[in-house]
Amino acid sequence: MPATKKVRVRFAPSPTGGLHLGGIRTVLYNYLFAKQHQGDFVLRIEDTDQSRYVPGAEEYIFNCLQWTGLEPDESSIRGGAYGPYRQSERKTLYRQYAEQLVKDGYAYYAFDTPGELEKMRVDFKTEQNPSPQYDHTVRTQMHNSLTLAESEVKRLLDENTRHVIRIKMPENETVSFTDMIRGEVSFNTSVVDDKVLLKADGMPTYHLAVVVDDHLMEISHAFRGEEWLPSAPVHILLWKYLFGLNAMPQWAHLPLILGPNGKLSKRDGVKYGFPVFAMSWTDPKTNELTEGFKEKGFLPEAFINLLAVLGWNDGSEQEIFSKAELIEKFSIERVHSGGARFDYEKAKWFNHEWIKKLQVASLREEVKQVFTNKGINVTDEQLLDKVITLVKERCHLLTDFAEQGAFFFKAPEAYDIDAVKPKWSEAKEVFFTGLIRSFELSNNWNAHDLEAGFKEMAAAHQIKPGELLLPLRIMLVGGKFGPGVFHIAELLGKKETVARIQHFLAALSEKEA
């Protein structure tokens, strides 16, 4: 690749379902590399396999990128000078390249029927080769332009006989390239089958389309998952045959993200109770909902931070990175070649750190939505800001704000009376009746003064403050949770605090009656 060539990277998802966190990590690394080099980040929809196309999946992909703040410079939505950005809209481009490969002797027409292909898999099956492929050892005995007379091939094509175009893989050649993460990687072509390049419906396979599109869109660097490494020799040869190896992008094959038992999968998420998709995805065929990181309560800043260091580090002990810091410090050469294990508890730690780190204003709308989802309409934003400030250090997920703060906006509907009743006494009843009167007469409604007055009263009643704090907490919030009880009272205000104590005492009397 010429040194002066502008950096252009791409993410090329298939619109087939939820966007796995491995996919978002690929987006992130592409995005960071492009921004660091003042380049372009392109989103190309690879929808050549129409049988796997899922309605709504393309829109979902864009929604995920919008949520994470990793939006492309060019796409089917934004446009650009290298469109169209959906492969299905580029269908007419691919056949000419496939035909050129046939003409040059690097590919061939294959007219085999599904029945003939199935028969091949049976006839060529051996103990040493239990899954025969359409390769250099098999193609000479199949129904293709390498075995048929030229006149017969012409007749079949003229009659629009159903066919595919396959690459003609050379025998026993070594194909190599330099991976930006793994260094020199080599393959022997004899172990690679003759991949289909153009399908019977005229649509290209990924192998042809990715090479043609990367060339036409002037992609300079291609970062993709290591599962594509076995396909690399096919792609390298296509670059060599069609455009020359000097035009080929620099490649980096990213390591897998590992779950508890190998490659992290959707099944792992279901089994172990953590998300694997960026945002919730509902399968339109089964109506099955898979919860995403966003809906689970993750901040986008935390999500991209945890993904960035899942297989990469900057050489220091730093773990918390803003997007600006990642753009500055990211290096594809420092991405590990081995798989990175996903740890959900560590992921929540990142989210907790970001909740603590962000200013209240940056959390306000997210937290308000959490309350709305719980049926709580927040109208007092000043109170909301104070609540966020008070409880955010206790929240690992945004959804935790509901448990830690909902009682500020809605009185408890039930109380954990069983936690109070065993140690309840007439002396405590008298104490809290007196506390109501003390609170009503208080002129200094702040946590410090409320706590001081409370302790003075406890001493006067000869009751240890510790025996009274749990009942007071349950009176105000309903259970054994929440921040400091006097800070709760300060934010609730005098009228509401008194009302909740009175309501609890009445509920306790009813239960005892």
Side-chain angles (χ1 to χ4, degrees):
M1 185 190 81
T4 56
K5 188 173 182 181
K6 183 179 182 181
V7 167
R8 286 176 57 79
V9 300
R10 47 70 172 171
F11 177 57
S14 298
T16 56
L19 191 52
H20 188 276
L21 57 90
I24 290 287
R25 188 187 63 174
T26 301
V27 171
L28 176 61
Y29 287 176
N30 274 288
Y31 178 94
L32 296 176
F33 189 83
K35 297 309 169 190
Q36 189 179 74
H37 294 89
Q38 292 77 50
D40 298 324
F41 169 46
V42 179
L43 181 75
R44 184 173 71 220
I45 298 295
E46 300 206 338
D47 57 349
T48 56
D49 190 346
Q50 294 292 293
S51 66
R52 296 178 65 230
Y53 178 80
V54 175
E58 183 178 330
E59 181 185 7
Y60 166 87
I61 290 166
F62 282 102
N63 288 341
C64 289
L65 299 195
Q66 183 179 42
W67 173 62
T68 55
L70 304 174
E71 293 185 87
D73 301 299
E74 300 171 25
S75 68
S76 56
I77 290 179
R78 186 165 289 190
Y82 296 83
Y85 293 91
R86 292 187 191 93
Q87 284 185 337
S88 59
E89 295 172 10
R90 302 168 66 84
K91 181 177 176 179
T92 55
L93 295 170
Y94 304 111
R95 178 167 281 276
Q96 61 178 305
Y97 293 101
E99 297 280 6
Q100 184 64 45
L101 289 165
V102 174
K103 182 180 175 185
D104 294 342
Y106 298 126
Y108 57 93
Y109 301 108
F111 301 95
D112 313 280
T113 65
E116 288 170 333
L117 291 172
E118 188 56 41
K119 185 174 185 298
M120 176 270 287
R121 295 185 190 103
V122 173
D123 291 351
F124 287 87
K125 186 175 182 178
T126 65
E127 204 170 297
Q128 293 74 29
N129 187 16
S131 302
Q133 300 185 97
Y134 203 121
D135 58 16
H136 68 280
T137 62
V138 168
R139 64 187 175 220
T140 56
Q141 300 177 64
M142 299 300 290
H143 195 207
N144 56 54
S145 58
L146 301 176
T147 59
L148 299 171
E150 193 175 329
S151 57
E152 177 66 1
V153 172
K154 184 177 184 307
R155 182 187 70 79
L156 291 170
L157 293 175
D158 288 344
E159 293 176 0
N160 291 321
T161 303
R162 188 175 176 85
H163 67 279
V164 300
I165 293 179
R166 291 179 179 271
I167 188 171
K168 184 183 177 185
M169 290 299 290
E171 294 180 45
N172 202 30
E173 284 188 14
T174 298
V175 173
S176 303
F177 77 99
T178 302
D179 190 286
M180 295 178 75
I181 296 171
R182 297 157 197 276
E184 192 76 6
V185 183
S186 298
F187 305 86
N188 187 293
T189 57
S190 291
V191 299
V192 184
D193 60 317
D194 292 359
K195 301 289 186 189
V196 173
L197 303 178
L198 200 73
K199 294 179 284 189
D201 62 1
M203 289 294 278
T205 61
Y206 173 82
H207 306 294
L208 179 64
V210 72
V211 171
V212 171
D213 287 343
D214 280 355
H215 171 72
L216 295 178
M217 292 184 176
E218 298 185 16
I219 299 303
S220 64
H221 297 77
F223 306 154
R224 60 187 186 181
E226 69 174 32
E227 63 270 23
W228 289 107
L229 263 176
S231 302
V234 176
H235 302 164
I236 292 167
L237 289 174
L238 289 175
W239 275 103
K240 179 181 176 181
Y241 298 154
L242 290 171
F243 310 116
L245 290 178
N246 287 339
M248 192 173 88
Q250 288 183 256
W251 285 352
H253 288 81
L254 308 177
L256 295 175
I257 295 179
L258 304 175
N261 302 295
K263 182 181 178 182
L264 183 67
S265 70
K266 177 182 166 184
R267 287 185 296 277
D268 287 329
V270 173
K271 183 176 180 180
Y272 297 103
F274 55 73
V276 295
F277 290 164
M279 293 170 62
S280 290
W281 168 254
T282 301
D283 188 316
K285 292 179 182 176
T286 64
N287 222 28
E288 178 190 4
L289 171 68
T290 305
E291 191 176 26
F293 279 86
K294 178 179 186 288
E295 291 75 14
K296 198 76 174 177
F298 277 79
L299 289 162
E301 295 89 343
F303 184 53
I304 65 170
N305 187 166
L306 71 91
L307 284 182
V309 299
L310 200 57
W312 168 86
N313 67 66
D314 71 338
S316 74
E317 297 297 312
Q318 183 176 346
E319 291 188 278
I320 303 299
F321 294 90
S322 66
K323 187 162 74 173
E325 287 176 310
L326 288 171
I327 290 171
E328 178 191 346
K329 298 186 177 186
F330 180 73
S331 164
I332 195 71
E333 288 81 9
R334 288 199 62 86
V335 174
H336 311 154
S337 59
R341 191 165 298 280
F342 174 70
D343 180 342
Y344 185 53
E345 291 307 311
K346 183 70 172 182
K348 288 196 293 184
W349 176 85
F350 276 104
N351 206 55
H352 186 215
E353 292 301 308
W354 271 98
I355 287 174
K356 291 190 293 182
K357 180 181 171 73
L358 288 181
Q359 297 295 314
V360 169
S362 300
L363 294 167
R364 187 183 299 131
E365 290 307 314
E366 297 273 13
V367 175
K368 186 188 282 190
Q369 187 60 51
V370 168
F371 288 136
T372 300
N373 293 344
K374 290 290 185 179
I376 298 170
N377 184 28
V378 176
T379 55
D380 187 341
E381 288 204 346
Q382 278 191 322
L383 174 60
L384 176 62
D385 286 357
K386 290 176 182 176
V387 170
I388 292 172
T389 302
L390 185 60
V391 307
K392 69 176 188 169
E393 295 230 359
R394 309 173 71 84
C395 299
H396 285 77
L397 301 171
L398 288 172
T399 46
D400 293 342
F401 278 95
E403 180 183 347
Q404 296 293 337
F407 54 81
F408 285 106
F409 304 96
K410 187 177 181 182
E413 293 178 355
Y415 298 98
D416 186 2
I417 290 177
D418 290 340
V420 174
K421 200 172 178 186
K423 294 186 178 181
W424 191 249
S425 64
E426 188 176 338
K428 289 180 180 177
E429 177 97 30
V430 171
F431 172 84
F432 280 104
T433 303
L435 185 66
I436 291 171
R437 181 71 178 147
S438 173
F439 278 175
E440 287 175 334
L441 295 172
S442 176
N443 293 319
N444 298 316
W445 197 262
N446 61 74
H448 179 270
D449 289 340
L450 290 173
E451 184 174 6
F454 181 89
K455 287 180 176 177
E456 284 178 19
M457 266 194 74
H461 284 74
Q462 297 184 332
I463 305 175
K464 292 178 181 176
E467 294 182 30
L468 300 167
L469 284 170
L470 178 62
L472 179 59
R473 176 177 295 282
I474 290 173
M475 291 170 187
L476 299 187
V477 308
K480 304 176 191 176
F481 55 85
V485 70
F486 298 104
H487 286 102
I488 295 172
E490 179 182 330
L491 288 193
L492 287 176
K494 181 192 296 188
K495 184 179 177 182
E496 182 64 19
T497 298
V498 168
R500 292 190 184 187
I501 296 171
Q502 289 172 329
H503 192 270
F504 177 85
L505 293 176
L508 189 61
S509 296
E510 283 178 22
K511 191 151 187 178
E512 289 179 332

